[in-house]
């Protein structure tokens, strides 16, 4: 798109390539050929070791600066097994690229490229009354608390909920895609989609990207014609049905409270919600990466609804610690 | 972590697997079934990388069913095992190898019972008994010592119990529950009286 201005654009090495593209678009067409990119890869000091992962320069999630905060995360979502024989791995050295970007390799990134929800606690469990889902609302980037009010429950439709743990963008994008596919399936079959089908759709989708850096640990909870249903799906490709799950860096703390109280919480929806709230609260107390507000949802035969949203500090007064 | 075992007798195959589905240090599920039914008389026991197991096993399962639909009769255990191994081998040197360890157990009306051991490098071996996982290090010698070719069903269950009790005693991980199945000319039957009861999920 040619614009009337004819100013010369100085591109300094500090500019990012995407800014360069913007400048390129306002340079008149006659100058386009002359405006060559000033950096072409070799001259840049690459201070960080390159990752072998596909799309590494975009995702930037395997770079060393993330590794410290990834310790907890890697325990939950371990990397690919090292037992795969050497012959099928990429050979050591710079990663293969299909085509070099036209303006050379991107400059070394300054700061985290995007936020990941490493730290979180989410849980869900089934009871005859339905499925109770509880989440915290803290988002961290390393040791910085990026937000205390993240919505970690994503509705797939009126009867099915998905939770978010891992990468926020991964979770919300893929679950929205699954929501769309579920709606199409419902329109085609004239029957509400089952939770098993919704979770299988999600599991098959993320399996295609296995090993490419997706980070997703979600529970698909809903009520379908077979009753309450709960599935855990993650970016490793695992998909299991179960009665109770907790996901996230605080999951082990939540499991403790949840498992010990499950026997008594099956009676009513209120008791189930109280147990869920307490389990997330205890996890938020122990896990540094969980906190904010505790949101509790309940999925019954009529669909899901939010039962409560309490600040952790308010719960501390209520539980009297 | 995960454990599979198979024992072949004169007219049956006994297979068992643990029922724990774990992620890092957490047991997510206590009653996870790792046996996939390929056909009326063939079972595929599959352990390994979390997503690969289900995806690969279901892929083989659907293909075996497709063969039956197209041709009107079921694949024999030998053919199914070789088909499975072929797929493992084809994907081994691709960008997406399947990291799965398998036991395929079946009964053929002409050939009799068969137990096949396969691993993630696409090795295939027909064996009278086999095991996968760390538990195999503890139990293969028990199978060597007490197995005999004409082993009866009761003896096979006793041998299985010996193996599982050894795991309880010496294996560092807590594998509390297993499920076991017989395959014979009547089909697939569940075994109820193995020593460790299933834990309520």
């Amino acid at each position: 798109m040619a614009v009337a201005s004819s100013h010369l654009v100085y591109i300094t090495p500090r500019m990012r390539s995407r800014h360069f593209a913007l400048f390129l678009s306002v340079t008149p067409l006659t100058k386009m050929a002359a405006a060559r990119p000033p950096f072409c890869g070799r001259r840049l000091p690459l201070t960080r070791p390159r990752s072998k992962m596909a799309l590494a320069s975009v995702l930037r999630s395997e770079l060393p600066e993330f590794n410290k905060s990834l310790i907890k995360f890697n325990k939950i979502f371990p990397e690919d097994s090292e037992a795969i024989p050497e012959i099928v791995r990429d050979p050591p050295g710079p990663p293969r690229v299909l085509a070099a970007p036209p303006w050379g390799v991107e400059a070394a990134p300054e700061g985290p490229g995007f936020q990941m929800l490493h730290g979180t606690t989410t849980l869900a469990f089934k009871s005859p009354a339905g499925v109770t889902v509880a989440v915290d609302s803290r988002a961290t980037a390393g040791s910085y608390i990026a937000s205390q009010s993240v919505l970690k429950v994503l509705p797939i439709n009126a009867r099915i909920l998905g939770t978010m743990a891992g990468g926020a963008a991964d979770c919300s994008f893929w679950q929205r895609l699954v929501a769309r596919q579920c709606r199409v399936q419902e329109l085609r079959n004239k029957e509400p989609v089952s939770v098993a089908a919704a979770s299988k759709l999600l599991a098959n989708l993320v399996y295609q990207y296995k090993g490419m850096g997706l980070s997703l640990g979600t529970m698909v909870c809903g009520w379908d014609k077979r009753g309450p249903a709960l599935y855990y799906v993650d970016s490793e490709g695992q998909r299991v049905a179960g009665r109770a799950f907790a996901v996230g860096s605080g999951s082990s703390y939540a499991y403790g409270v949840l498992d010990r109280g499950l026997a008594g919480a099956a009676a009513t929806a209120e008791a189930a919600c109280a147990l869920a709230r307490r389990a997330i609260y205890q996890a938020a107390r122990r896990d540094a990466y969980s906190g904010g507000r505790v949101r509790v949802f309940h999925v019954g035969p009529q669909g899901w609804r939010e039962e409560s949203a309490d600040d952790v500090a308010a719960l501390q007064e209520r539980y009297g610690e | 972590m995960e454990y599979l075992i198979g024992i072949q007798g004169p007219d049956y195959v006994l297979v068992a697997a643990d029922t724990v589905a774990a992620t890092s240090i957490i047991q997510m599920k206590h009653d996870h079934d790792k046996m996939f039914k390929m056909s009326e008389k063939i079972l595929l026991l599959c352990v390994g990388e979390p997503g690969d197991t289900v995806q690969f096993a279901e892929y083989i399962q659907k293909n075996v069913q497709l063969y039956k639909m197209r041709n009107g009769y079921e694949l024999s255990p030998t053919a199914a095992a070789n088909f499975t191994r072929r797929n493992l081998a084809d994907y081994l040197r691709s960008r997406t190898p399947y990291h799965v360890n398998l036991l395929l157990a079946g009964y053929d009306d002409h050939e009799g019972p068969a137990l096949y051991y396969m691993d993630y490098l696409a090795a295939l071996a027909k064996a009278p008994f086999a095991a996968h996982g760390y538990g195999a290090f503890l139990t293969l010698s028990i199978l060597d010592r007490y197995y005999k070719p004409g082993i009866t069903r009761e003896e096979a269950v006793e041998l299985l119990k010996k193996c599982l009790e050894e795991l309880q005693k010496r294996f560092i991980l807590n594998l509390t529950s297993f499920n076991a199945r017989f395959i014979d000319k009547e089909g697939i039957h569940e075994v109820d009286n193995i020593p460790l009861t299933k834990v309520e999920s």
Side-chain angles (χ1 to χ4, degrees), chain A residues 138 303 320:
Chain A
R138 180 174 288 182

Side-chain angles (χ1 to χ4, degrees), chain A residues 17-32:
Chain A
S17 45
R18 57 175 176 271
H19 295 316
F20 172 76
L22 213 62
F23 281 109
L24 199 58
S25 64
V26 304
T27 313
L29 276 175
T30 51
K31 296 235 163 139
M32 287 272 274

Side-chain angles (χ1 to χ4, degrees), chain A residues 22 30 64 67 166 169 196 199 260-261 283 290 299 305:
Chain A
L22 213 62
T30 51
N67 281 345
S199 60
R260 291 308 105 214
S290 304
V299 190
R305 53 169 232 187

Side-chain angles (χ1 to χ4, degrees), chain A:
Chain A
M1 72 178 198
V3 178
S5 68
S6 61
H7 58 273
L8 203 64
V9 176
Y10 263 106
I11 299 155
T12 63
R14 286 185 67 84
M15 279 187 199
R16 300 291 194 92
S17 45
R18 57 175 176 271
H19 295 316
F20 172 76
L22 213 62
F23 281 109
L24 199 58
S25 64
V26 304
T27 313
L29 276 175
T30 51
K31 296 235 163 139
M32 287 272 274
R36 288 189 68 246
F39 44 83
C40 294
R42 303 282 180 275
R43 284 192 274 149
L44 274 180
L46 288 170
T47 53
R48 284 171 177 68
R50 302 262 211 105
S51 167
K52 293 176 200 165
M53 196 179 63
L55 303 175
S57 61
V58 177
L59 293 173
R60 291 189 218 126
S61 61
E62 298 238 312
L63 297 178
E65 78 228 332
F66 271 88
N67 281 345
K68 284 190 281 290
S69 55
L70 274 176
I71 291 166
K72 276 257 196 255
F73 160 72
N74 272 334
K75 276 207 318 219
I76 316 291
F77 305 111
E79 290 178 299
D80 269 354
S81 162
E82 283 91 21
I84 293 174
E86 278 300 311
I87 39 173
V88 299
R89 282 185 179 273
D90 285 346
R96 287 174 282 172
V97 288
L98 291 177
W103 43 80
V105 176
E106 211 174 5
E110 292 132 19
F114 67 105
Q115 283 173 12
M116 289 187 78
L117 275 178
H118 300 303
T120 187
T121 311
T122 59
L123 64 84
F125 59 94
K126 276 198 296 198
S127 63
V131 188
T132 310
V133 184
V135 298
D136 76 313
S137 69
R138 180 174 288 182
T140 50
S143 59
Y144 169 67
I145 296 177
S147 169
Q148 291 270 64
S149 53
V150 178
L151 282 172
K152 297 188 186 179
V153 168
L154 304 159
I156 291 176
N157 65 31
R159 289 167 194 273
I160 304 180
L161 285 178
T163 61
M164 182 199 292
D170 287 336
C171 290
S172 51
F173 177 79
W174 290 107
Q175 289 188 29
R176 205 166 149 79
L177 200 59
V178 166
R180 192 196 71 162
Q181 278 192 302
C182 287
R183 181 71 187 129
V184 170
Q185 186 163 339
E186 282 183 0
L187 288 168
R188 283 185 179 146
N189 299 9
K190 285 175 101 165
E191 192 191 40
V193 69
S194 65
V195 183
S199 60
K200 190 73 177 170
L201 280 169
L202 180 62
N204 288 344
L205 268 177
V206 297
Y207 181 72
Q208 295 181 32
Y209 295 87
K210 187 174 157 94
M212 294 190 197
L214 280 191
S215 157
L216 192 94
T218 177
M219 293 175 288
V220 182
C221 335
W223 188 293
D224 57 27
K225 67 182 182 203
R226 281 178 269 185
L230 175 59
Y231 285 83
Y232 166 74
V233 179
D234 73 13
S235 47
E236 294 288 302
Q238 193 172 32
R239 169 182 170 267
V240 283
R243 197 192 155 197
F245 294 114
V247 182
S249 59
S251 63
S252 49
Y253 306 113
Y255 266 123
V257 176
L258 180 63
D259 284 332
R260 291 308 105 214
L262 258 182
T268 60
E270 288 75 34
C273 291
L275 174 65
R277 194 175 303 120
R278 192 70 196 247
I280 296 283
Y281 164 75
Q282 296 296 135
R285 293 280 291 166
R286 280 288 179 182
D287 179 33
Y289 298 101
S290 304
R293 304 170 78 94
V294 179
R295 276 182 225 277
V296 182
F297 292 73
H298 188 79
V299 190
Q302 265 68 46
W304 63 264
R305 53 169 232 187
E306 181 163 359
E307 294 287 333
S308 68
D310 300 294
D311 204 283
V312 169
L315 287 177
Q316 183 182 345
E317 295 198 8
R318 196 200 303 182
Y319 294 136
E321 273 197 44

Side-chain angles (χ1 to χ4, degrees), chain A residues 75-76 78 80-81 83-85 87-88 200 203-204 207 210 232 236-238 240-246 252 255, chain B residues 21-29 32 49-52 54-55 58 92-95 97-99 120-121 200-201:
Chain A
K75 276 207 318 219
I76 316 291
D80 269 354
S81 162
I84 293 174
I87 39 173
V88 299
K200 190 73 177 170
N204 288 344
Y207 181 72
K210 187 174 157 94
Y232 166 74
E236 294 288 302
Q238 193 172 32
V240 283
R243 197 192 155 197
F245 294 114
S252 49
Y255 266 123
Chain B
T23 306
S24 87
I25 58 164
I26 304 280
Q27 284 187 12
M28 305 226 64
K29 197 168 152 72
H32 187 227
E49 182 96 27
D52 291 352
V54 174
Q55 294 281 341
E58 288 190 350
L92 181 62
R93 288 188 166 89
S94 72
R95 287 189 57 244
Y98 287 106
H99 195 255
Y120 69 100
L121 293 170
E200 177 66 37
S201 172

